[in-house]
Amino acid sequence: MVQPSRTTRSRLLPGLLSMMSSLVIVACSAAPHSPDRSEGSDSAPSAPATVTASAVPSPPAESGPTGETDPDCPGGACATVVMTGDLLLHGALWDQAALDAEVPGELDFRPMLAAQKEYVAPSDLAICHLETPVASPDGPFSTYPAFNVPPQILTAVKDTGYDACTTASNHTLDAGTTGLNRTLDALDAAGLGHTGSYKTSADAADILIAPAGAAAVALVTGTYALNGLVPEQPWQVDTLDTAVMIGKARQARAQGAEIVIGAVHAGDEYADYANNQQQSVAHALVDSGEFDLIYGHHSHSVLPIEKYRDTWIIYGLGNTIAAHATPDIRNTEGLMVRARFSRDDDGESWDVSELAWLPATWNGPEHRWCPVSIAALEKISRTGVVCVSPEADAASRARTMTVVESMGAAADGAVEWPEP
């Protein structure tokens, strides 16, 4: 895999703009939520961002990556994007990272995410969602109500195969502007691209466009709230504003993006449905004709997948990993989604030719991410290595499938991820 790049100023890996990239993309849905006392609640939604589409610069369009044609792809060329949900570090996770480290006093989060690698690494574009700011390597660290987590998690994210992370969430400002800037610096140091929060107005006006297979993919983000906190500058965090997001999508296409994905941070916590706000926002983005896929996070639970006007909406990916104090089985489950985009016969437009979803859990004593798809369960039956227990793993898959398919995803062609 190679590093993502921008067609304009880069906030990704310095000096690697010419390299191709593999990125896991994570998408969000938008809505107010009921407070989760273990994760942090939002006292009031933040004001919409004042950034307008006209504030986005219009540099000359640059061509995206051409890639090699693939005879197995409809249209001869494909781009594979992988997305996962909230990466939310509670204290139990960095306690486990200390136990997993070979050197006393250090933290190693790689074992927690290790099982993701065979799913993430083969993708053309892999994107995580970093829910919280990161602290300095030696701390101090904090969890609810204001997160400030170990930056060592980013080493694990990179090692797992992710290429970039979205950073717009209700917790983005938990450590203020200092924490926001420190987080972006840590992402840069780890070699991870990022979008959703920004150090400068010029960065905020820039669009993340990354090469993925044979296509150039843009990512546009927005969060429904900032936990009542007010940014020092209105451009510091992408807030949920459909007009702004649509404007950025149009600008991305003007800059050479062939595929535009919207990532929405919103929803009701621990729900198993997409609420009215999530649906109205996602539908508005699709109705604009500027987005090729919408995905969401924030609810800390798996939400349905819908095909609306021939465009896939993944309303909620749940958690990538977390350790909530709130005892709810839904916050120990998540989705990884792979969207395979194929170029149409006209050679101009791209559509999702396959959407695959992978159910997962980490509800074990060592907090290991663990797939529970039918293919994974069959492997478990052969090897005897389970995630939680055979009964719990099967129940997790069944619960996830019921929610994922509750808005007609199966009938519309979404499939459970086969063996990697």
Side-chain angles (χ1 to χ4, degrees):
M1 296 194 304
V2 288
Q3 294 307 312
S5 64
R6 290 180 183 275
T7 58
T8 56
R9 293 177 301 277
S10 175
R11 291 196 298 278
L12 309 185
L13 288 181
L16 294 179
L17 296 183
S18 63
M19 298 180 67
M20 296 295 292
S21 129
S22 299
L23 263 172
V24 177
I25 299 180
V26 183
C28 287
S29 44
H33 82 306
S34 55
D36 167 16
R37 299 305 177 187
S38 69
E39 181 263 344
S41 61
D42 305 325
S43 57
S46 64
T50 59
V51 178
T52 63
S54 62
V56 180
S58 301
E62 301 177 18
S63 59
T66 57
E68 297 293 332
T69 58
D70 183 347
D72 296 327
C73 292
C78 282
T80 304
V81 177
V82 173
M83 298 151 276
T84 53
D86 295 305
L87 190 62
L88 183 60
L89 267 61
H90 296 93
L93 297 183
W94 62 75
D95 289 344
Q96 182 61 46
L99 295 174
D100 287 332
E102 294 182 0
V103 178
E106 294 189 357
L107 299 175
D108 188 356
F109 291 94
R110 290 174 299 179
M112 293 184 197
L113 300 180
Q116 287 192 349
K117 185 175 290 189
E118 63 178 327
Y119 298 94
V120 170
S123 66
D124 295 317
L125 187 63
I127 299 177
C128 83
H129 176 62
L130 183 61
E131 171 90 3
T132 67
V134 300
S136 298
D138 296 327
F141 308 134
S142 62
T143 180
Y144 172 81
F147 286 84
N148 203 25
V149 307
Q152 291 88 337
I153 183 61
L154 299 180
T155 301
V157 168
K158 180 66 176 178
D159 184 73
T160 302
Y162 288 96
D163 302 288
C165 298
T166 57
T167 57
S169 85
N170 54 305
H171 289 290
T172 302
L173 292 177
D174 278 8
T177 294
T178 298
L180 183 154
N181 291 343
R182 182 174 56 236
T183 300
L184 301 181
D185 288 342
L187 286 161
D188 287 338
L192 291 162
H194 49 85
T195 190
S197 58
Y198 312 99
K199 294 178 69 174
T200 69
S201 59
D203 287 345
D206 202 4
I207 310 295
L208 174 60
I209 303 176
V217 178
L219 185 62
V220 178
T221 71
T223 178
Y224 80 102
L226 295 169
N227 283 358
L229 300 174
V230 179
E232 292 182 12
Q233 301 292 337
W235 42 258
Q236 285 182 297
V237 186
D238 286 336
T239 54
L240 194 59
D241 184 320
T242 54
V244 170
M245 294 179 73
I246 291 167
K248 285 192 172 186
R250 289 175 179 152
Q251 183 58 43
R253 292 193 186 278
Q255 292 175 203
E258 296 157 295
I259 296 168
V260 179
I261 295 173
V264 180
H265 191 77
D268 294 333
E269 287 190 351
Y270 302 168
D272 54 12
Y273 57 84
N275 67 22
N276 290 337
Q277 186 190 21
Q278 287 176 281
Q279 293 186 53
S280 64
V281 167
H283 289 180
L285 296 179
V286 173
D287 288 341
S288 74
E290 300 294 340
F291 289 84
D292 300 289
L293 182 143
I294 308 295
Y295 75 96
H297 28 74
H298 168 68
S299 69
H300 311 304
S301 57
V302 172
L303 300 182
I305 296 176
E306 176 188 31
K307 196 171 191 180
Y308 170 75
R309 297 186 63 180
D310 292 325
T311 301
W312 288 108
I313 302 169
I314 303 108
Y315 281 106
L317 293 165
N319 289 325
T320 296
I321 196 155
H324 296 262
T326 304
D328 192 309
I329 191 65
R330 291 171 293 185
N331 65 36
T332 69
E333 296 169 339
L335 281 182
M336 181 183 290
V337 170
R338 180 183 66 197
R340 185 190 201 194
F341 291 89
S342 300
R343 189 162 56 200
D344 289 347
D345 293 337
D346 60 15
E348 297 294 330
S349 57
W350 293 75
D351 293 312
V352 177
S353 56
E354 181 191 61
L355 191 83
W357 54 272
L358 179 70
T361 186
W362 51 91
N363 192 27
E366 296 182 339
H367 305 286
R368 302 298 197 243
W369 182 91
C370 191
V372 292
S373 63
I374 189 64
L377 293 180
E378 289 173 352
K379 184 177 180 180
I380 284 172
S381 69
R382 296 193 303 270
T383 63
V385 178
V386 301
C387 299
V388 181
S389 71
E391 297 77 17
D393 296 347
S396 181
R397 174 183 177 269
R399 186 166 42 248
T400 297
M401 175 177 282
T402 297
V403 174
V404 164
E405 297 181 347
S406 63
M407 295 180 72
D412 288 330
V415 298
E416 188 174 16
W417 196 315
E419 189 73 22

